[in-house]
């Protein structure tokens, strides 16, 4: 039992997701063979989520159960156009209460936060995505399939507590979920064992790289405070940000494995013997990290959440939609000081990115200039995102001190400065 205990302590999220994969594959086999009726398919997914929540979160699983009950009651009792304001307000109020309670315990009482509470908060944030996705579908008119299913308790409960998405997403729409549950017996996707093995190998590779980089950074951490070499300090900060981002890629990939094991995420056949399982994904390391623009990185990072934020805030705000979107991200993530600074810097960098590329693109006509611009923009994107990720992940003032002492915080500030320089140039030229 010692290796299992070590895994649970060091990598709790990966451990819980890995242990859930056999049950997801069992669901796929039983559904494909017709052993589960439609009702039992919904029950299997919902009961699996309830058991997983109780086992991993203990008493804090009540946070999810209370939210789910309130959500279902609201959807089934209110008219479609009134559902979203109530669901959004109550869900975000409930989530914010617990975020503030955690901060009170951490910063005022100096008490360590129970890991089960932190896990339940992470799941509650994902639940917020799912319930508001349904409420927006209803407010926007919805479709007939959505409206008829929303008058039934079981599909809504199963969607909210589905064990394949409980701990790690990615976000799928209610219509996608209902279609999957209904069609998995009639037209099942191909066996997912090969894609599970492939993505599982990717997770192992990512975790190996993360552990190796962590040891490397730890070995060189002592020289960070005494080093007078700015380049060395900047590289150390960049390496720390890479380690933090790899953890996300690893989590997203294992969540894809879990969903694929149940049959979710299949997008058809690329070739006769090559199924496409990219239907549910929050991001790919290579594609995201090769982004040469901060705005491009923002769209690719945590893809389903970025799409949800765009629909929930950006497309609905007529005044300063970019600032409002990143401002809501601060609220949704927990309103820590580091998150406040990190997301505002990210918003400013995205705004600067639009302005800079709009100004430079017509002036870069030769291949060499475009290549130089691409390289410099990639370096700028990496350093800006390093500052953003460290500020958001470390959350407290310590992260801001690190960025200041190593001069890494200069990079996003330069992006902000470019906005004012370009405005002055435009006014001068006109």
């Amino acid at each position: 039992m010692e290796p299992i205990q070590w895994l649970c302590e060091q990598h709790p999220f990966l451990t819980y997701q890995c242990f859930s994969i056999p049950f997801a594959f069992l669901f796929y086999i039983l559904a494909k063979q017709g052993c589960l009726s439609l009702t039992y398919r919904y029950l299997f997914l919902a009961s699996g989520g309830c058991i997983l929540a109780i086992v991993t979160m203990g008493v804090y699983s009540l946070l999810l159960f209370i939210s789910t009950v309130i959500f279902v009651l609201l959807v089934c009792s209110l008219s479609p156009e009134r559902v979203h304001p109530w669901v959004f307000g109550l869900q975000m109020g409930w989530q914010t209460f617990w975020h503030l309670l955690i901060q009170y315990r951490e910063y005022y009482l100096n008490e360590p936060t129970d890991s089960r509470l932190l896990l339940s908060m992470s799941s509650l944030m994902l639940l917020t995505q799912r319930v508001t996705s349904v409420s927006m579908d209803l407010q926007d008119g919805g479709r007939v399939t959505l409206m008829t299913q929303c008058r039934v308790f079981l599909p809504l409960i199963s969607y909210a507590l589905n064990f394949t998405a409980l701990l790690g997403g990615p976000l799928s729409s209610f219509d996608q979920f209902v279609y999957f549950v209904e069609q998995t017996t009639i037209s099942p996707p191909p066996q997912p064992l090969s894609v599970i093995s492939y993505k599982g190998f990717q997770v192992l590779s990512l975790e190996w790289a993360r552990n190796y980089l962590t040891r490397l950074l730890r070995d060189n951490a002592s020289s960070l405070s005494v080093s007078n070499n700015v380049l060395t300090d900047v590289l150390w900060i960049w390496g720390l940000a890479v380690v933090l981002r790899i953890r996300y890629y690893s989590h997203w990939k294992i969540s894809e494995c879990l969903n694929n094991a149940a049959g979710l995420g299949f997008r058809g056949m690329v070739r006769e013997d090559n199924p496409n399982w990219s239907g549910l994904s929050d991001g790919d390391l290579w594609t995201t990290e090769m982004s040469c623009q901060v705005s491009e990185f923002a769209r690719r990072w945590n893809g389903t959440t970025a799409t949800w934020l765009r629909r929930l805030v950006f497309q609905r705000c007529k005044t300063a939609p970019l600032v409002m979107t990143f401002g809501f991200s601060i609220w949704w993530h927990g309103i820590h000081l580091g998150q406040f600074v990190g997301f505002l810097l990210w918003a400013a960098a995205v705004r600067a990115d639009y302005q800079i590329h709009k100004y430079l693109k017509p002036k870069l006509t030769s291949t060499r200039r475009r290549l130089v611009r691409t390289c410099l923009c990639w370096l700028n994107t990496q350093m800006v995102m390093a500052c953003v990720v460290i500020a958001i992940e470390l959350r407290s003032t310590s992260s801001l001190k690190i960025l200041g002492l190593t001069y890494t915080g200069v990079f996003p500030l330069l992006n902000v400065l470019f906005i004012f320089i370009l405005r002055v140039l435009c006014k001068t030229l006109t």
Side-chain angles (χ1 to χ4, degrees):
M1 294 295 291
E2 289 185 3
I4 295 178
Q5 185 178 357
W6 180 84
L7 280 172
C8 290
E9 291 176 354
Q10 299 297 320
H11 306 279
F13 178 87
L14 290 177
T15 304
Y16 299 144
Q17 295 290 73
C18 286
F19 283 152
S20 301
I21 288 176
F23 297 99
F25 191 61
L26 176 63
F27 171 82
Y28 168 82
I29 293 173
L30 294 175
K32 183 178 181 180
Q33 294 179 350
C35 299
L36 297 174
S37 66
L38 181 60
T39 300
Y40 281 116
R41 274 174 260 159
Y42 283 123
L43 282 173
F44 189 108
L45 296 169
S47 58
C50 292
I51 294 169
L52 181 62
I54 293 170
V55 169
T56 59
M57 305 169 202
V59 67
Y60 296 113
S61 59
L62 286 173
L63 274 65
L64 304 181
F65 299 152
I66 291 172
S67 285
T68 301
V69 170
I70 293 173
F71 160 65
V72 173
L73 290 176
L74 287 173
V75 170
C76 295
S77 60
L78 296 176
S79 58
E81 63 275 4
R82 295 178 59 198
V83 170
H84 180 63
W86 279 96
V87 168
F88 177 81
L90 290 175
Q91 181 67 21
M92 284 303 300
W94 179 245
Q95 180 179 306
T96 303
F97 168 78
W98 285 97
H99 270 142
L100 294 177
L101 182 61
I102 290 173
Q103 290 196 44
Y104 173 74
R105 288 179 175 178
E106 286 183 352
Y107 301 130
Y108 186 76
L109 300 179
N110 293 319
E111 295 178 355
T113 304
D114 192 330
S115 60
R116 294 175 301 172
L117 175 56
L118 293 177
L119 186 61
S120 68
M121 285 307 302
S122 175
S123 295
L124 188 63
M125 291 167 65
L126 294 172
L127 180 60
T128 299
Q129 291 186 345
R130 292 193 291 276
V131 298
T132 53
S133 176
V134 173
S135 65
M136 284 189 290
D137 284 340
L138 291 170
Q139 188 183 54
D140 294 342
R143 287 191 282 273
V144 176
T145 55
L146 178 62
M147 288 300 299
T148 56
Q149 290 292 343
C150 275
R151 297 306 173 189
V152 182
F153 284 93
L154 189 55
L156 285 171
I157 295 173
S158 183
Y159 175 69
L161 297 176
N162 168 26
F163 76 94
T164 64
L166 187 76
L167 299 181
L171 176 66
S172 63
S173 70
F174 181 75
D175 272 349
Q176 287 177 312
F177 176 77
V178 169
Y179 179 82
F180 157 72
V181 176
E182 290 179 348
Q183 296 297 316
T184 189
T185 297
I186 302 170
S187 178
Q191 193 195 71
L193 273 179
S194 58
V195 71
I196 294 172
S197 302
Y198 174 67
K199 291 182 178 181
F201 175 76
Q202 288 182 311
V203 172
L204 291 175
S205 301
L206 287 168
E207 284 301 303
W208 177 86
R210 186 168 74 92
N211 289 330
Y212 176 79
L213 285 173
T214 300
R215 288 196 300 269
L216 193 63
L217 291 171
R218 190 182 295 119
D219 293 340
N220 292 276
S222 58
S223 62
L224 187 65
S225 57
V226 297
S227 173
N228 292 320
N229 191 331
V230 175
L231 180 60
T232 302
D233 293 347
V234 169
L235 286 175
W236 194 92
I237 291 295
W238 175 76
L240 176 60
V242 169
V243 167
L244 294 173
R245 292 204 297 269
I246 287 177
R247 184 179 63 178
Y248 278 95
Y249 293 123
S250 178
H251 287 185
W252 295 336
K253 196 59 67 175
I254 195 66
S255 297
E256 285 182 43
C257 284
L258 179 56
N259 280 275
N260 293 162
L264 276 161
F266 177 65
R267 295 185 63 182
M269 305 294 290
V270 179
R271 294 189 300 273
E272 186 176 348
D273 59 342
N274 186 14
N276 183 354
W277 285 95
S278 62
L280 281 178
S281 177
D282 270 321
D284 173 71
L285 183 147
W286 180 259
T287 304
T288 306
E289 293 299 325
M290 288 297 104
S291 301
C292 295
Q293 296 180 226
V294 179
S295 56
E296 193 176 62
F297 194 104
R299 288 191 296 271
R300 292 173 175 175
W301 176 261
N302 202 354
T304 59
T305 297
T307 302
W308 171 71
L309 287 170
R310 190 177 303 117
R311 183 187 180 196
L312 179 69
V313 185
F314 189 85
Q315 295 176 351
R316 292 168 179 256
C317 288
K318 296 181 180 179
T319 304
L322 182 66
V323 176
M324 295 297 290
T325 301
F326 281 95
F328 175 77
S329 294
I330 299 170
W331 182 19
W332 183 65
H333 279 85
I335 331 176
H336 290 268
L337 176 62
Q339 295 169 345
F340 186 84
V341 175
F343 278 112
L344 288 185
L345 284 176
W346 198 352
V350 169
R351 178 63 179 169
D353 182 75
Y354 288 139
Q355 296 288 337
I356 292 169
H357 285 275
K358 182 180 178 181
Y359 178 78
L360 291 179
K361 192 173 182 179
K363 302 181 182 302
L364 300 175
T365 54
S366 68
T367 305
R368 177 193 282 181
R369 288 182 178 180
R370 286 196 295 268
L371 180 61
V372 171
R373 187 209 69 165
T374 299
C375 294
L376 291 177
C377 288
W378 180 82
L379 287 171
N380 176 67
T381 300
Q382 286 291 306
M383 296 315 303
V384 167
M385 292 314 304
C387 295
V388 169
V389 168
I390 289 173
I392 292 172
E393 284 298 298
L394 300 186
R395 303 188 305 180
S396 63
T397 54
S398 61
S399 62
L400 306 180
K401 290 179 181 178
I402 291 174
L403 297 177
L405 290 173
T406 58
Y407 300 102
T408 316
V410 171
F411 288 93
L413 294 178
L414 285 175
N415 281 258
V416 177
L417 182 62
F418 271 123
I419 297 178
F420 295 102
I421 293 174
L422 288 176
R423 285 181 178 177
V424 171
L425 285 174
C426 291
K427 287 181 179 180
T428 303
L429 292 174
T430 54

